[in-house]
Amino acid sequence: MYRVRCAILNSVNATLRLETKVKMADFNQPTVIVTGASSGVGLYAAKALAKKGWHVVMACRNLEKSERAAKEVGMSPDHYTVMHLDLASLSSVRNFVQTFRDSGRPLTSLVCNAAVYLPLLKDPEYSEDGYEISVATNHLGHFLLCHLLLEDLRNSPAGDKRLIILGTVTANRKELGGKIPIPAPPDLGDMVGFEQGFKAPIAMIDGKQFKSGKAYKDSKLCNMLCTRELHRRYHESTGITFNSLYPGCVADTPLFRNHFAAFRTIFPWFQKNITGGYVSQDLAGERVAMVVADPEFKQSGYHWSWGNRQQQGREAFVQELSAEGSDDAKAKRLWELSERLVGIASMVST
Ligand code: NDP
Ligand code: PMR
């Protein structure tokens, strides 16, 4: 009986030792949170980061889909954890941060990647907090997430900590793809829509008439402005590297699932054969992973772009942003108004 009990205890201890060892090993991996890692750029960035030895917290709204996607791209279970995050819900963002903290993992980097693009919407849809859905998801959800996780990054023992946000050419008139006069270009105006509380019937940051494609581009401009403001406010005091990037035109991701079916056929062909702007999901993911992990991207406060001609081996360059995208006063005002909309007061004085 005694021998049996000892055998059981030994086996329990061995299991515990094994679990502790796995966990210790696990926690020695640098940890990155990637939002929207269930498809497209986020999924392939997760894959590339896992390949570099990172542990990826895949912050996604559909857990089963994300698990399936991780398996499909061949990620080893030791290199990822799927956690629930719905960026269109401010309470979900707060719950996610709590769940992440409960995991005990020190945070090395955060990648704000998730987005929706709803070009065919005639009338606005609103999030559960009452905000237009593209701006709520792409900008406000990420804004709150960054705000809360800044503390985790600040407290993390890692030597090289980064916060990276996906931007795009179509929200940057200084790049070729942003010069094309596709209606309508981004323009936050004087942000009267935000000033007035951004609740229905208001659906645009500038307070003007709803335009679905513009809502996406406005939200991406907010992403790039916020990266600059994060750098201005927090880089010196925290040492965290803050950058945005454009990985190329990844014309065949599910981002275009809400566009015309014909668009999904013609657009990748057009970008591959006419503009040369096309980049594969795999290569776009590797580019994001480079900005997260590679030493040459450790300089803070930049927008990295792979520009228009997307050959393998092409190097990124620091890309200037449009007049609106480099307007520091606008970035500061956007920050303050966004704080009000997500219900937080400034954590650290500027
Ligand atoms: P995908 O549609 O493939 O990926 C978007 C991801 O965001 C999905 O994982 C999606 O989850 C997730 N997501 C959407 N809404 C929410 C939400 N409410 N909460 C949590 N996650 C959400 O698009 P891409 O990979 O193309 O886009 C990724 C990023 O790259 C975006 O920021 C986009 O602006 C940027 N980008 C894309 C370019 C392109 O050409 N594709 C070019 C330049 C920048 P789910 O699977 O559940 O829908
Ligand atoms: Mg655009 C010249 C280069 C170039 C690049 C890099 C992009 C990127 N695009 C370019 C050119 C053109 N586009 C041209 C000449 C046209 C025809 C007028 C064109 C059209 C077009 C449309 C209709 N392009 C689009 C759309 C979209 O609906 C996409 C969009 O605006 O999403 C907001 C889009 C895009 N083009 C790009 C990129 C990266 C996109 C989509 C994703 C994004 O900007 O995040």
Side-chain angles (χ1 to χ4, degrees), residues 219-237:
S219 73
K220 298 307 292 179
L221 176 58
C222 289
N223 288 157
M224 296 188 280
L225 280 166
C226 280
T227 312
R228 288 171 60 88
E229 186 63 7
L230 278 161
H231 168 77
R232 193 187 69 76
R233 287 184 181 235
Y234 301 115
H235 173 65
E236 221 173 275
S237 60

Side-chain angles (χ1 to χ4, degrees), residues 27 29-34 54-57 96-97 100-101 103-111 145-146 148-163 240:
F27 276 44
Q29 299 167 329
T31 295
V32 57
I33 295 174
V34 180
W54 287 59
H55 189 91
V56 185
V57 174
F96 167 80
V97 171
F100 174 73
R101 286 181 181 160
S103 78
R105 285 182 179 284
L107 184 62
T108 313
S109 291
L110 167 64
V111 181
L145 187 71
C146 291
L148 299 174
L149 289 177
L150 255 181
E151 193 179 322
D152 301 70
L153 283 171
R154 198 196 297 264
N155 295 336
S156 156
D160 178 0
K161 305 182 263 200
R162 304 190 197 181
L163 194 164
I240 299 167

Side-chain angles (χ1 to χ4, degrees), residues 36 38-39 41 61 65 86-87 113 216 220 250 253-254 257:
S38 58
S39 76
V41 178
R61 60 180 167 173
K65 177 180 176 182
D86 180 356
L87 284 157
N113 161 80
Y216 169 85
K220 298 307 292 179
V250 210
T253 72
R257 75 188 98 168

Side-chain angles (χ1 to χ4, degrees), residues 117 119 167-171 176-178 180-182 213 216-217 220 246 248-251 255-256 259 263 267 270-271 274-278 307-308 310:
Y117 174 41
T168 186
V169 272
T170 55
L176 191 53
I180 312 296
I182 323 161
Y216 169 85
K217 290 178 217 163
K220 298 307 292 179
Y246 168 65
C249 183
V250 210
L255 187 68
F256 308 102
H259 220 312
F263 180 90
F267 188 55
F270 176 72
Q271 293 293 345
I274 308 296
T275 71
Y278 176 80
N308 196 35
Q310 306 299 328

Side-chain angles (χ1 to χ4, degrees), residues 53-270:
W54 287 59
H55 189 91
V56 185
V57 174
M58 301 170 73
C60 301
R61 60 180 167 173
N62 184 331
L63 300 180
E64 270 174 44
K65 177 180 176 182
S66 311
E67 266 299 340
R68 223 175 24 247
K71 288 203 176 85
E72 272 166 21
V73 297
M75 287 171 68
S76 144
D78 294 346
H79 282 276
Y80 72 89
T81 307
V82 178
M83 278 185 202
H84 186 262
L85 169 66
D86 180 356
L87 284 157
S89 154
L90 296 174
S91 67
S92 171
V93 173
R94 289 186 181 279
N95 291 339
F96 167 80
V97 171
Q98 196 50 56
T99 311
F100 174 73
R101 286 181 181 160
D102 291 345
S103 78
R105 285 182 179 284
L107 184 62
T108 313
S109 291
L110 167 64
V111 181
C112 296
N113 161 80
V116 286
Y117 174 41
L118 304 162
L120 303 183
L121 274 190
K122 290 276 172 278
D123 298 310
E125 279 180 14
Y126 291 90
S127 70
E128 68 173 39
D129 305 290
Y131 301 135
E132 188 283 319
I133 197 77
S134 334
V135 172
T137 308
N138 307 354
H139 166 55
L140 291 172
H142 277 133
F143 177 80
L144 178 61
L145 187 71
C146 291
H147 232 284
L148 299 174
L149 289 177
L150 255 181
E151 193 179 322
D152 301 70
L153 283 171
R154 198 196 297 264
N155 295 336
S156 156
D160 178 0
K161 305 182 263 200
R162 304 190 197 181
L163 194 164
I164 308 300
I165 306 184
L166 269 288
T168 186
V169 272
T170 55
N172 181 17
R173 275 178 231 197
K174 281 269 166 79
E175 281 200 88
L176 191 53
K179 291 189 204 293
I180 312 296
I182 323 161
D187 180 2
L188 307 185
D190 51 9
M191 293 184 271
V192 78
F194 263 18
E195 297 231 5
Q196 292 176 352
F198 201 52
K199 292 259 166 88
I202 300 169
M204 298 300 282
I205 297 176
D206 62 9
K208 295 189 180 156
Q209 195 201 344
F210 177 65
K211 288 180 185 150
S212 53
K214 180 176 182 293
Y216 169 85
K217 290 178 217 163
D218 283 353
S219 73
K220 298 307 292 179
L221 176 58
C222 289
N223 288 157
M224 296 188 280
L225 280 166
C226 280
T227 312
R228 288 171 60 88
E229 186 63 7
L230 278 161
H231 168 77
R232 193 187 69 76
R233 287 184 181 235
Y234 301 115
H235 173 65
E236 221 173 275
S237 60
T238 63
I240 299 167
T241 299
F242 300 98
N243 285 321
S244 56
L245 82 144
Y246 168 65
C249 183
V250 210
D252 48 11
T253 72
L255 187 68
F256 308 102
R257 75 188 98 168
N258 298 300
H259 220 312
F260 296 116
F263 180 90
R264 291 196 296 277
T265 310
I266 296 163
F267 188 55
W269 179 89
F270 176 72

